[in-house]
Amino acid sequence: MKSFCLGAATVLGLTLAGSALADDVRMLAIEPNVPEGRQYYLDVAKAYEAEKPGTKVQFDFLDDTSFKSKLPTLLQSSARPDAFFTWTGGVFAEQAKAGVLKDISADFTDADRKNYSPSGIQSMSHDGKLYGVPMYAASVVLWYNKALVEKAGVDPKAIKNWEDLLAASKKIQGAGIVPIVMGGKDKWPIALFYGQLAARIAGTDGVAAADKGENEGFNNPAFIQAGEALKQLADIKPFQPGYMDTTQPKAAGLFGDGKGAFYLAGNFLVGAQAQNSASGKGLGDDLDFITFPAVDGGKGDPADTFGGVNGWLVTKDAGKSTVDFLKFLTNNKNQTEGGRLKIWLPIGTDAQSGIADPRLRRIAEDLSKAPHHQLYLDQMLGASVGAALNDAAAQIVTGDISPEEAAALVEEAREMR
């Protein structure tokens, strides 16, 4: 069990020991998807401490699932960190409404704000107040194994719409290859398909309208159609055996070991499939991607992207050193280095030059040109509705509920929010 040193308490199994000085900065992060990630953060902290004698910066890391489950209790306790990682969206909005965050608007001048993209600043703002600092973007694409699709006689670049993907999956399956590797145990990897389909069919305006309860909310035919498309895929049985008992990190490793042709994930998969593979190297040059296919008749622009804008939120009792450190962590030099190490797609206005990997550079270019960037639906909708959506997506795939029942479950959760 990791030691999370914030104060004299124990919260959800995390041992909280010691006390922080006024200038200490205590950061709670998710586990990086590349081996260099942890060291990167520690090196930045050390560099900041060298510039600010007497100030100590501490990073603690949790895997995604543990982070999501433990954070709500931490934020309501006296052991809350000074700043923590965020996927923004509805979960962030709920945290702002709960009063656990600090308004740092006055700490950011116009010059400070120009160091970040407008969408980044907007993603960290609620009701006109700035509560955090953006650091990177994530965009979901359909990754593929060049060697396996070639063996199956499939040209990924010919996949333009959903029917093309279904046909390709059947052909790959006929060649004795797993079409799609899936980490179903965590549910949200399945919901990436559901969310992408909803965005392609309803469009970003349609998704936003459903979130407001307009046009029948999530009972809107567009969301039922998204569920039907997901069921079409599930009926092919495209995933590896035991996919519902496979976590996302394990699935990423299986894909990196060449156990399947496709994998739907964000840009983070470049590091995750290598880090979690048996060899520690992953697919290397055999890894490439295509954008998520269009859905014929859908209202979503095929050039729209889907993913997140991530960064750091500041908690209500944090000192001035916390905001100062976040500015340092996200300055052009450090963001550029993060891009070079393949840790993220920098969101700083001049930090893209560090993206050395051509695949990540292509994703960054597509992201910069996208008419709209749809946030992950489970993050956009908030904790309760997002969890309902993830559950509904998983149950469509396992055949436990129909697309109509799935839409009704999400709408019920929205109405109860």
Side-chain angles (χ1 to χ4, degrees), residues 194 197 201 222-232 396 403 406:
Y194 195 22
L197 285 164
I201 295 168
F223 293 90
I224 296 173
Q225 186 183 345
E228 290 170 344
L230 180 59
K231 185 177 184 302
Q232 280 184 302
I396 289 173

Side-chain angles (χ1 to χ4, degrees), residues 25-278:
V25 179
R26 304 162 299 173
M27 305 284 293
L28 180 59
I30 60 169
E31 195 70 50
N33 286 298
V34 296
E36 299 85 357
R38 270 184 174 241
Q39 193 58 49
Y40 168 84
Y41 285 121
L42 298 178
D43 288 345
V44 173
K46 186 180 296 184
Y48 181 78
E49 290 171 351
E51 288 191 9
K52 307 285 184 176
T55 300
K56 298 296 181 183
V57 179
Q58 176 182 311
F59 273 94
D60 287 279
F61 302 89
L62 292 172
D63 65 83
D64 291 16
T65 301
S66 298
F67 180 93
K68 291 175 182 177
S69 66
K70 299 178 191 301
L71 183 62
T73 300
L74 278 173
L75 291 180
Q76 294 298 332
S77 76
S78 61
R80 68 180 66 88
D82 295 306
F84 61 94
F85 178 84
T86 178
W87 287 275
T88 67
V91 174
F92 154 51
E94 291 170 0
Q95 291 161 344
K97 293 175 184 176
V100 297
L101 304 180
K102 184 175 185 177
D103 178 5
I104 60 172
S105 305
D107 297 305
F108 272 73
T109 65
D110 288 342
D112 289 329
R113 292 169 187 252
K114 288 180 180 178
N115 292 327
Y116 310 93
S117 69
S119 62
I121 291 293
Q122 181 180 1
S123 72
M124 309 299 291
S125 301
H126 179 73
D127 284 346
K129 298 177 181 179
L130 184 67
Y131 289 99
V133 182
M135 187 167 68
Y136 64 89
S139 187
V140 173
V141 296
L142 189 60
W143 296 95
Y144 65 88
N145 182 321
K146 291 181 183 179
L148 291 186
V149 295
E150 183 178 350
K151 181 180 178 181
V154 167
D155 178 8
K157 295 181 180 177
I159 298 175
K160 302 299 182 182
N161 60 37
W162 185 245
E163 295 300 325
D164 293 336
L165 179 60
L166 297 177
S169 296
K170 292 176 183 177
K171 189 171 184 180
I172 291 168
Q173 193 173 54
I177 299 168
V178 171
I180 301 170
V181 179
M182 174 59 69
K185 187 172 184 178
D186 292 328
K187 297 183 182 178
W188 62 262
I190 299 177
L192 290 181
F193 276 98
Y194 195 22
Q196 278 270 30
L197 285 164
R200 287 287 190 253
I201 295 168
T204 53
D205 288 344
V207 172
D211 187 31
K212 297 175 184 176
E214 299 172 1
N215 304 322
E216 300 180 76
F218 289 97
N219 283 320
N220 183 283
F223 293 90
I224 296 173
Q225 186 183 345
E228 290 170 344
L230 180 59
K231 185 177 184 302
Q232 280 184 302
L233 180 66
D235 287 346
I236 296 171
K237 301 188 185 304
F239 310 126
Q240 80 279 6
Y243 72 92
M244 284 305 294
D245 291 321
T246 305
T247 64
Q248 189 275 332
K250 174 66 174 177
L254 290 174
F255 183 68
D257 287 329
K259 302 300 184 181
F262 288 109
Y263 197 103
L264 185 66
N267 44 278
F268 57 81
L269 187 73
V270 173
Q273 58 88 31
Q275 181 178 357
N276 292 289
S277 66

Side-chain angles (χ1 to χ4, degrees), residues 390-401:
N390 289 351
D391 289 343
Q395 290 178 79
I396 289 173
V397 166
T398 57
D400 292 319
I401 60 175

Side-chain angles (χ1 to χ4, degrees), residues 295-360:
V295 176
D296 291 344
K299 296 180 181 179
D301 190 322
D304 286 349
T305 49
F306 182 93
V309 176
N310 306 326
W312 304 93
L313 293 173
V314 181
T315 58
K316 62 181 182 181
D317 297 321
K320 290 186 177 181
S321 291
T322 299
V323 176
D324 190 56
F325 172 68
L326 289 177
K327 289 181 182 180
F328 181 84
L329 174 62
T330 59
N331 67 24
N332 182 267
K333 176 184 176 182
N334 288 325
Q335 283 219 31
T336 300
E337 179 66 2
R340 186 188 71 79
L341 293 172
K342 305 178 186 179
I343 301 173
W344 58 56
L345 298 182
I347 203 167
T349 51
D350 298 312
Q352 281 72 36
S353 63
I355 304 176
D357 189 301
R359 296 161 299 196
L360 296 180

